Amino acid sequence: MAVSVLDSHLTSTERVQPGQANNYENAHGGTVVRLMDELAAVSAMRVAGETCVTARISSVEFENPIPVGHVATYSAYVFDTGDTSLQVRVTVESGDPRTTDTQRTTSACFVMVAVNEDGDPVSVPNIAPETDRGRRLLEDAPC
């Protein structure tokens, strides 16, 4: 049984605070990647129905900084599955909260593994596009 890619699609928005910044008053890259990882795990869990842990992060691209005070919107969705693994695309866009202008700041692909209560890998369902929007997400996914 396949799960729709749209069932795994999540977004999370937060305003970058001074405590999350580096010396240049931009979001610290480690903080951005941590938040991306957390959203990737939740997205994967929606498909797997199990706890999911990070196996690999690939192709992390820091394209633009996120200044303190700007809003960062994180988006994640599962675009492929294996026997026990799920590939999750995560992108981040940011902008001044007083406008609607945004720009892509960060993107990465995560490989998550579904595990049971004992920490052993478990099987996951396939992912399916089911809609035009789902097909577009799958086309845009690979890192």
Side-chain angles (χ1 to χ4, degrees), residues 83-100:
D83 292 334
T84 62
S85 63
L86 306 98
Q87 293 188 54
V88 184
R89 176 76 163 156
V90 184
T91 58
V92 184
E93 292 187 350
S94 76
D96 186 319
R98 296 166 291 204
T99 72
T100 58

Side-chain angles (χ1 to χ4, degrees), residues 73-122:
T73 300
Y74 297 75
S75 299
Y77 60 93
V78 175
F79 68 90
D80 197 12
T81 59
D83 292 334
T84 62
S85 63
L86 306 98
Q87 293 188 54
V88 184
R89 176 76 163 156
V90 184
T91 58
V92 184
E93 292 187 350
S94 76
D96 186 319
R98 296 166 291 204
T99 72
T100 58
D101 297 334
T102 62
Q103 67 177 348
R104 178 167 291 175
T105 65
T106 318
S107 60
C109 285
F110 290 73
V111 176
M112 311 301 287
V113 174
V115 297
N116 62 20
E117 291 178 5
D118 296 324
D120 298 321
V122 296

Side-chain angles (χ1 to χ4, degrees), residues 7-103:
D7 289 339
S8 73
H9 190 264
L10 300 171
T11 60
S12 176
T13 302
E14 77 169 61
R15 192 165 182 212
V16 177
Q17 301 297 317
Q20 299 170 306
N22 59 26
N23 293 339
Y24 301 102
E25 297 184 9
N26 294 312
H28 191 282
T31 300
V32 172
V33 172
R34 178 182 58 82
L35 293 170
M36 292 172 77
D37 181 58
E38 290 174 5
L39 194 62
V42 175
S43 176
M45 286 187 263
R46 283 202 158 175
V47 172
E50 300 283 349
T51 297
C52 292
V53 297
T54 307
R56 182 176 68 225
I57 304 172
S58 62
S59 302
V60 178
E61 300 287 337
F62 293 100
E63 301 169 40
N64 293 291
I66 308 171
V68 168
H70 276 213
V71 172
T73 300
Y74 297 75
S75 299
Y77 60 93
V78 175
F79 68 90
D80 197 12
T81 59
D83 292 334
T84 62
S85 63
L86 306 98
Q87 293 188 54
V88 184
R89 176 76 163 156
V90 184
T91 58
V92 184
E93 292 187 350
S94 76
D96 186 319
R98 296 166 291 204
T99 72
T100 58
D101 297 334
T102 62
Q103 67 177 348

